[in-house]
Amino acid sequence: MTDLDMIEGGTMTPVQRWTGRETKTLRYALRMSIRDFAVHLGVAQRTVSKWEAGGESVNPRPEMQAALDTALAQAADEAQRRFASALHQAKPTAPDSVGGLDLGAAARQQVARTRQALGLSVGDFAAVLARTLTWRPTGDDVTNWETSTVPPGDVVLALSAILDPSAAAGEGTDRFGDLVAVHPNRSEFSTDLPPDQLLGGARTVRAVGLSLNLLAQGYPDRRWHDLVEAGAHVRLLFLDPAGQAVQAREVEEGFPAGQLSGLTKLNIETLMRVRDRLPDGLQERMEMAVYDDTLRFNVVLVDDLCVAQPYLAESRGVDSPTFVVRRRQARGGLYPVFEQYFETEWRRGQQL
């Protein structure tokens, strides 16, 4: 096939099956950014990123196959020619195996072995992967990667980062240390990494802050129950709703007296109810306490991941910047700083 064989009589021959490779080629041919291409198709930006990251192993849903057909058919002749030429030149020439080794099968085995080593379900493993990737895989994705399709390259790289965080951190060379993401506020962070993906498959959860809304209101009671029953150990430290520090924060944020303390009390009662419903022998894995110190940070430590928010003067907690940090094997970095902050406040706290 020549560069222009896909164009017959001025009409573009339809793509038989769209994969991430053809999708990316079309975007380049249209000379659009990922954001503009997502708007053009009417999908989320992360959806396009996921397609492209998956390459030939990703097939958009049928309705999106049709949308891509339409985008190609409506493209200018010049863009169609660029698409045909680039698609032809981009055809893979490398073999699927090297020295008799099936690389696709090896990648699938690596996904399965990593998940099994962590003892996670496919859904929980997908949530763990989401903390490392820039998009959110599903449990079905994990199942497919283990059984039929070739895992995307970024997923294969993420497997090493999950088992050995220091390998992905590039210790000693990363000028930003263990800081992996910064969000302008809590809302954008929660959109990028919602609680079910932040906490899914966690072995340890430690948090200190004010009312801990992210954990108390953003994560269903049943999921807490399942998490603890699966072996997680949880420690949650709330600002004392009857203390002086919460009153000072209400004044600082401009809330009516009793509003933050009332919300904190409600969240404590909600999670204590979850703990009370745990089977005998598991309640001790879900510890809660209160403290009455000046509010400085909201810190959530989930295994090797840390989410930290400073409390700024005259700025509400939800509007504060949110930092995501990943622990490294070597000493140093921000993770041990926030971990020490939690441990210090926990020792001072009053158990509930």
Side-chain angles (χ1 to χ4, degrees), residues 271-327:
L271 291 174
M272 287 186 70
R273 185 168 59 250
V274 172
R275 183 176 66 180
D276 291 342
R277 292 174 178 173
L278 289 170
D280 293 341
L282 294 184
Q283 295 181 3
E284 62 187 19
R285 293 184 186 173
M286 192 168 187
E287 302 178 74
M288 282 174 274
V290 294
Y291 71 114
D292 190 24
D293 285 344
T294 300
L295 192 60
R296 296 181 176 88
F297 289 98
N298 184 304
V299 175
V300 180
L301 299 152
V302 182
D303 297 334
D304 292 325
L305 201 70
C306 169
V307 180
Q309 265 195 305
Y311 279 95
L312 307 177
E314 299 182 358
S315 178
R316 298 190 175 184
V318 294
D319 298 324
S320 296
T322 304
F323 304 94
V324 182
V325 175
R326 183 175 296 280
R327 175 165 53 189

Side-chain angles (χ1 to χ4, degrees), residues 60-233:
R61 296 190 304 271
E63 63 270 23
M64 294 316 307
Q65 295 269 339
L68 289 163
D69 285 340
T70 300
L72 176 58
Q74 294 179 349
D77 289 347
E78 184 178 352
Q80 290 187 358
R81 289 178 181 274
R82 284 196 296 267
F83 175 78
S85 177
L87 197 63
H88 172 68
Q89 295 175 13
K91 282 188 174 181
T93 58
D96 293 331
S97 62
V98 177
L101 174 64
D102 186 336
L103 299 180
R108 287 191 289 272
Q109 290 175 4
Q110 188 176 358
V111 173
R113 288 171 180 169
T114 302
R115 179 178 66 81
Q116 292 165 6
L118 297 174
L120 300 178
S121 67
V122 291
D124 286 342
F125 188 58
V128 171
L129 281 170
R131 301 176 198 161
T132 302
L133 301 170
T134 58
W135 50 281
R136 303 172 192 164
T138 66
D140 289 341
D141 290 330
V142 174
T143 298
N144 290 335
W145 295 334
E146 292 185 0
T147 59
S148 57
T149 61
V150 178
D154 57 344
V155 170
V156 176
L157 292 175
L159 300 177
S160 298
I162 291 170
L163 291 178
D164 182 9
S166 64
E171 293 176 4
T173 62
D174 187 352
R175 60 182 294 194
F176 297 106
D178 52 357
L179 182 66
V180 296
V182 178
H183 301 270
N185 52 58
R186 188 184 303 168
S187 177
E188 292 200 16
F189 162 75
S190 297
T191 299
D192 191 59
L193 189 61
D196 61 327
Q197 295 190 9
L198 173 65
L199 299 173
R203 309 307 295 173
T204 61
V205 179
R206 295 169 291 173
V208 54
L210 201 164
S211 53
L212 302 183
N213 287 331
L214 179 71
L215 306 182
Q217 298 182 22
Y219 202 57
D221 293 3
R222 183 64 201 177
R223 296 299 299 273
W224 276 116
H225 182 282
D226 293 343
L227 191 68
V228 175
E229 198 168 48
H233 190 171

